[in-house]
Amino acid sequence: MKTLLVSIGFLAVTALSVFAAEPAKMVDTKMGKVLATDKGMTLYVFDKDGKGKSNCDAACLKKWPAFHADAKAKAEGEWSLVKAADGKDMWAYSGKPLYTYSGDKKAGDMTGDGVGGVWHVAK
């Protein structure tokens, strides 16, 4: 009986980790589906980034904050972790590091799309 209870407990923990929430969500917008934080802030990609590498330096991160991952974050599926210029882990989707934009003031704002011809909403 004790073995059965331990096995059920292990299965429950394993099942919960499989269904862990993704770090961002897809939201419907006038531009179609885009990635946003759990608070609804639009996420962006930077054309000058390499696959799995952020090229947004410290000055850049002031205007384009990295979408940081918490300390317990684990890469899974299309989601990976890369180092931001500040040394912290940030989320990447399909190898592209993700950022928010300091010019977006409320959930759903997408004022960073097209800035400098190199910033785009993440889809």
Side-chain angles (χ1 to χ4, degrees), residues 27-31 34-37 39-44 64 99-113 121-122:
V27 295
D28 289 315
T29 71
K30 63 184 178 218
M31 297 178 69
V34 301
L35 282 170
T37 68
K39 294 181 180 167
M41 300 305 289
T42 303
L43 291 168
Y44 298 89
W64 298 93
Y99 307 85
T100 57
Y101 180 52
S102 62
D104 288 349
K105 301 303 178 196
K106 63 184 184 320
D109 282 354
M110 293 185 285
T111 61
D113 190 49
V121 294

Side-chain angles (χ1 to χ4, degrees), residues 3-121:
T3 303
L4 179 61
L5 289 175
V6 170
S7 297
I8 290 171
F10 178 75
L11 283 172
V13 169
T14 304
L16 287 176
S17 67
V18 169
F19 297 110
E22 292 185 340
K25 58 187 176 181
M26 283 287 188
V27 295
D28 289 315
T29 71
K30 63 184 178 218
M31 297 178 69
K33 291 189 179 287
V34 301
L35 282 170
T37 68
D38 62 348
K39 294 181 180 167
M41 300 305 289
T42 303
L43 291 168
Y44 298 89
V45 293
F46 184 38
D47 287 347
K48 295 181 180 183
D49 282 344
K51 186 166 180 138
K53 178 171 178 13
S54 170
N55 287 313
C56 186
D57 62 19
C60 172
L61 287 178
K62 289 181 181 177
K63 194 170 191 176
W64 298 93
F67 180 42
H68 285 122
D70 58 22
K72 296 178 185 174
K74 300 257 188 270
E76 184 176 322
E78 293 294 314
W79 295 97
S80 58
L81 298 166
V82 298
K83 289 286 182 202
D86 60 10
K88 297 178 185 175
D89 282 336
M90 65 185 290
W91 285 110
Y93 184 74
S94 294
K96 297 177 183 178
L98 298 171
Y99 307 85
T100 57
Y101 180 52
S102 62
D104 288 349
K105 301 303 178 196
K106 63 184 184 320
D109 282 354
M110 293 185 285
T111 61
D113 190 49
V115 170
V118 294
W119 289 95
H120 310 283
V121 294

